[in-house]
């Protein structure tokens, strides 16, 4: 990628990055700048600051003054919209947003360029740190942990790139070859697996600072990688495209499912993570302390009012757009009717994840001492005016920062995911009974009375266990950047979109647009046109 990820992007220029304060147990943010790469990475403090820069690409607000929002905002709709969960609100034309919910993304969509660029910024920061860390004067134990964290983050960035674009150039040093070509998926995933394995070997069971990766973060993402690869191979993902670069022919599905089963068994038995009692507390802006009990890894938001790394939820939250008075959003992306009816009425996740709008008479509720407005409930009656209610801002009058900037963390890997990945691996290695027990375990907190879980099990039962599992993953992880990848890896992306009913809800009016734009090759996003023009790399088919 010719001159795309330059040395001065890594540490020379103004970047808003995570900084761990000596008085805090949580990651925080403040701007840092340095003069030259050569006189950096000399002390333990240098290494810690560089590591913070590696983390910051997860939800960076800007790089070089240009908006680049990974889990800050863009990846939330890149991986949730344009599925059977979330569509673009009719009438929205914002070029950086609307195409994702309409399946109209092209190689010139700005968000694609920004995302691709920022992911490689994160990779390059990790590489520069790993190049220099051995010669940095600091304690050996902490040095090993920093090496583990840098490998973890590099593996994570490459994992998302590979799942979204397929094969990409692989760099393991800070000096990038401007003529490097895309590597096939077997090479990319060999690097991802190696990085997560190194992280697992180097990291402690828990980090000293909340939000940092630990041993179980690495193990959990290894399990996600193995189930992803095994399911793609099992379901023949991409075989009709004839594009060898993104082929899964090399995958040993039985072996990878066995590995995933063993890893998730270990996490369940040894990690100490658990399902928290209140599902809703995973997604409130001010309940991060509860989320940490279940989340093996999160994109951490700033708690400072200075320029930092925040999460921005207003593009798709509960409308109307009265962000300054009630903590609502713009509703640019809306749930499908199929999403609403995927839930049984007894399932409390429906009320947490879906709503109608705020109204002038909306009540408030107090959660851990903070005030939140309560949207009108989604009832399936009001013409299907569904809204995303999963993520909630506090009463704007109590916020120390701009309402659009959330203090809430965004969970990337939860213990519930470990249980459902374990269910998948158990089923695929011959233990359907054990797999179904895992589904029940996840559903148990989804009812107000534990005796009702049998009703959910009966209501959600499908003879095809994998279809039931896919539905359960949607119910549990709605709008958590999981659905697009899940549909693709199970070979259901095309059928799920074509099966949507344009009369299924108010916002299903966008369905015919999605269906008209749907093509088999859209299981991959395009390589940005700017990269094609600057580098000798190959475009994905169809774009």
């Amino acid at each position: 990628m010719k001159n795309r990820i330059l040395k001065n992007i890594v540490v020379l220029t103004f970047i808003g990055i995570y900084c761990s304060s000596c008085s805090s147990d949580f990651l925080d943010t403040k701007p840092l700048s340095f003069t030259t790469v050569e006189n950096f990475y000399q002390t333990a403090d240098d290494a810690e600051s560089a590591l913070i820069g590696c983390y910051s690409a997860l939800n960076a607000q800007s790089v070089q003054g240009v908006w680049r929002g990974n889990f800050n905002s863009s990846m939330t709709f890149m991986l949730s919209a344009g599925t059977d969960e979330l569509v673009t609100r009719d009438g929205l034309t914002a070029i950086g947003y609307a195409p994702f919910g309409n399946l109209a993304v092209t190689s010139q969509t700005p968000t694609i360029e920004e995302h691709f660029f920022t992911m490689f910024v994160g990779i390059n920061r990790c590489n520069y740190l790993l190049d220099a860390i051995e010669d940095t004067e600091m304690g050996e134990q902490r040095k090993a942990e920093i090496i583990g964290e840098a490998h973890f983050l590099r593996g994570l960035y490459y994992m998302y790139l590979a799942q979204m674009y397929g094969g990409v150039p692989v760099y393991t040093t800070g000096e990038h070859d401007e003529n490097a070509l895309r590597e096939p998926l077997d090479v990319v995933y060999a690097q991802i697996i190696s990085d997560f394995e190194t992280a697992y070997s180097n990291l402690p069971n828990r980090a000293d600072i909340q939000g940092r990766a630990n041993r179980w973060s690495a193990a959990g993402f290894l399990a996600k990688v193995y189930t992803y690869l095994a399911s793609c191979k099992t379901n023949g993902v991409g075989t009709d495209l004839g594009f060898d670069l993104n082929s899964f022919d090399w995958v040993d599905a039985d072996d990878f499912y066995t590995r995933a089963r063993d890893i998730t068994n270990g996490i369940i038995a040894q990690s100490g993570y658990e399902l928290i009692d209140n599902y809703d507390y995973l997604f409130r802006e001010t309940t991060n302390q509860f989320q940490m009990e279940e989340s093996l890894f999160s994109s951490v938001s700033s708690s400072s009012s200075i320029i930092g790394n925040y999460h921005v939820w207003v593009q798709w939250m509960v409308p109307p757009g009265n962000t300054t008075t009630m903590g609502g959003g713009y509703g640019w992306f809306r749930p499908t009717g199929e999403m609403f009816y995927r839930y049984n009425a007894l399932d409390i996740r429906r009320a947490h994840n879906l709503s109608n709008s705020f109204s002038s008479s909306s009540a408030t509720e107090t959660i851990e001492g903070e005030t939140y407005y309560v949207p009108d409930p989604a009832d399936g009656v009001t013409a299907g005016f569904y809204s995303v209610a999963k993520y909630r801002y506090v009463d704007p009058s109590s916020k120390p920062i701009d309402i659009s900037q959330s203090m809430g963390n965004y969970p990337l890997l939860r213990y519930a995911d470990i249980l459902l990945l374990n269910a998948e691996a158990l089923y695929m290695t011959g233990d359907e009974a054990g797999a179904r027990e895992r589904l029940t375990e996840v559903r148990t907190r989804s009812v107000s009375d534990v005796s009702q879980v049998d009703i959910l099990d009966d209501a959600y039962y499908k003879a095809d266990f994998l279809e039931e599992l896919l539905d359960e993953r949607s119910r549990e992880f709605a709008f958590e950047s999981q659905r697009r990848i899940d549909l693709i890896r199970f070979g259901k992306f095309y059928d799920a979109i074509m099966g949507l009913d344009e009369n299924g809800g108010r916002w299903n009016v966008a369905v015919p647009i999605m269906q008209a734009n749907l093509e088999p090759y859209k299981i991959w996003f395009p390589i940005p046109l700017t990269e094609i023009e600057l580098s000798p790399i190959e475009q994905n088919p169809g774009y």
Side-chain angles (χ1 to χ4, degrees):
M1 288 185 294
K2 191 172 183 179
N3 295 328
R4 296 299 293 153
I5 311 302
L6 302 176
K7 184 182 295 185
N8 67 347
I9 293 174
V10 184
V11 293
L12 300 181
T13 58
F14 176 91
I15 50 175
I17 62 176
Y18 291 123
C19 180
S20 57
S21 167
C22 60
S23 62
S24 175
D25 293 330
F26 292 85
L27 292 176
D28 206 346
T29 64
K30 71 177 184 180
L32 298 180
S33 63
F34 308 104
T35 54
T36 66
V37 171
E38 286 70 25
N39 68 15
F40 195 53
Y41 303 111
Q42 294 181 357
T43 69
D45 286 345
D46 292 342
E48 296 289 356
S49 294
L51 178 63
I52 290 161
C54 297
Y55 275 95
S56 75
L58 279 171
N59 67 339
Q61 278 201 342
S62 66
V63 176
Q64 297 282 76
V66 179
W67 184 271
R68 314 278 185 183
N70 280 344
F71 283 106
N72 168 279
S73 62
S74 62
M75 284 184 71
T76 54
F77 58 80
M78 291 176 77
L79 294 176
S80 296
T83 69
D84 58 352
E85 284 188 356
L86 205 63
V87 297
T88 297
R89 187 194 71 203
D90 58 306
L92 179 67
T93 59
I95 190 172
Y97 296 87
F100 292 93
N102 291 333
L103 297 180
V105 173
T106 73
S107 63
Q108 299 181 67
T109 300
T111 306
I112 288 290
E113 178 186 354
E114 294 162 6
H115 173 260
F116 199 84
F117 177 85
T118 307
M119 281 292 182
F120 275 104
V121 167
I123 288 167
N124 207 36
R125 289 177 182 175
C126 293
N127 285 339
Y128 270 107
L129 176 56
L130 290 170
D131 285 348
I133 188 66
E134 290 296 349
D135 295 327
T136 302
E137 295 182 4
M138 63 185 306
E140 291 304 312
Q141 179 176 341
R142 181 58 190 145
K143 181 183 289 188
E145 291 174 354
I146 289 177
I147 290 171
E149 288 179 82
H151 276 280
F152 170 82
L153 290 165
R154 186 172 69 184
L156 189 68
Y157 294 135
Y158 267 123
M159 184 195 79
Y160 282 118
L161 283 168
Q163 289 180 346
M164 298 169 77
Y165 302 95
V168 291
V170 173
Y171 304 111
T172 56
T173 69
E175 297 298 329
H176 288 189
D177 178 2
E178 64 184 28
N179 293 310
L181 300 176
R182 296 173 66 185
E183 297 286 358
L185 284 179
D186 60 329
V187 175
V188 181
Y189 276 101
Q191 184 60 53
I192 294 167
I193 291 168
S194 174
D195 277 336
F196 285 148
E197 288 177 339
T198 299
Y200 179 81
S201 298
N202 284 42
L203 295 177
N205 289 331
R206 291 292 190 278
D208 290 336
I209 298 175
Q210 297 272 5
R212 292 280 181 86
N214 61 47
R215 175 189 303 268
W216 306 113
S217 312
F221 278 108
L222 263 177
K224 284 189 77 69
V225 166
Y226 287 139
T227 52
Y228 171 81
L229 292 173
S231 57
C232 285
K233 173 62 177 295
T234 300
N235 296 300
V237 172
T239 55
D240 55 332
L241 300 179
F243 190 58
D244 291 342
L245 194 70
N246 292 348
S247 171
F248 295 95
D249 287 348
W250 55 277
V251 173
D252 184 335
D254 291 339
D255 177 47
F256 282 2
Y257 266 131
T258 299
R259 294 190 200 187
R261 179 199 64 198
D262 294 345
I263 291 171
T264 51
N265 280 342
I267 296 171
I268 292 165
Q270 302 172 38
S271 73
Y273 285 99
E274 60 185 3
L275 298 177
I276 67 170
D277 292 336
N278 195 325
Y279 179 81
D280 186 39
Y281 280 23
L282 292 165
F283 314 106
R284 295 279 177 171
E285 187 174 15
T286 56
T287 55
N288 290 332
Q289 71 273 24
F290 293 96
Q291 185 191 100
M292 293 299 180
E293 298 174 22
E294 178 169 334
S295 181
L296 283 71
F297 190 69
S298 296
S299 174
V300 176
S301 193
S302 172
S303 59
S304 170
S305 59
I306 62 175
I307 295 174
N309 290 28
Y310 302 96
H311 295 117
V312 180
W313 299 337
V314 295
Q315 290 94 343
W316 56 342
M317 283 177 52
V318 181
N322 49 7
T323 59
T324 59
T325 58
M326 301 174 73
Y330 306 138
W332 286 356
F333 296 98
R334 296 300 191 99
T336 63
E338 285 79 2
M339 187 71 236
F340 177 85
Y341 289 107
R342 193 165 289 141
Y343 292 99
N344 182 275
L346 291 176
D347 194 328
I348 63 174
R349 293 173 296 187
R350 185 174 78 179
H352 289 314
N353 294 339
L354 300 165
S355 72
N356 284 327
S357 300
F358 286 127
S359 68
S360 58
S361 60
S362 290
T364 61
E365 59 184 347
T366 301
I367 306 294
E368 293 297 302
E370 299 288 346
T371 300
Y372 292 82
Y373 280 90
V374 181
D376 296 334
D379 54 16
V381 175
T382 317
F385 278 89
Y386 309 121
S387 302
V388 174
K390 188 164 210 167
Y391 307 96
R392 303 282 179 90
Y393 283 128
V394 295
D395 179 354
S397 65
S398 68
K399 291 193 67 169
I401 58 177
D402 184 275
I403 180 60
S404 68
Q405 300 171 337
S406 171
M407 299 177 291
N409 297 340
Y410 189 86
L412 301 184
L413 180 63
R414 296 198 280 112
Y415 185 68
D417 203 355
I418 300 302
L419 293 175
L420 294 182
L421 292 172
N422 183 251
E424 180 181 345
L426 287 173
Y427 176 79
M428 295 302 294
T429 55
D431 184 3
E432 181 173 350
R436 291 192 177 278
E437 288 176 6
R438 292 299 187 206
L439 297 190
T440 300
E441 188 173 351
V442 171
R443 292 168 182 161
T444 297
R445 72 160 170 198
S446 302
V447 289
S448 56
D449 186 329
V450 68
S451 66
Q452 296 173 328
V453 73
D454 290 340
I455 300 175
L456 286 193
D457 281 344
D458 290 341
Y460 293 154
Y461 176 83
K462 290 188 175 180
D464 185 331
F465 174 81
L466 292 179
E467 288 187 8
E468 184 177 342
L469 174 70
L470 189 58
D471 281 351
E472 190 62 28
R473 290 187 62 83
S474 178
R475 287 185 283 262
E476 178 68 22
F477 305 121
F479 323 127
E480 289 185 56
S481 305
Q482 300 252 26
R483 188 59 171 175
R484 175 181 166 87
I485 300 302
D486 276 345
L487 287 175
I488 290 170
R489 72 186 184 90
F490 281 102
K492 301 291 186 181
F493 186 67
Y494 190 90
D495 290 344
I497 302 302
M498 295 307 295
L500 293 173
D501 181 358
E502 65 179 293
N503 299 309
R506 165 62 180 85
W507 309 111
N508 281 44
V509 294
V511 164
I513 300 173
M514 293 174 64
Q515 292 173 338
N517 289 333
L518 180 61
E519 297 288 349
Y521 68 82
K522 292 189 175 181
I523 60 173
W524 305 109
F525 285 129
I527 304 297
L529 180 61
T530 50
E531 300 297 340
I532 302 296
E533 292 175 338
L534 290 171
S535 309
I537 62 176
E538 190 174 0
Q539 181 58 277
N540 282 328
Y543 291 104

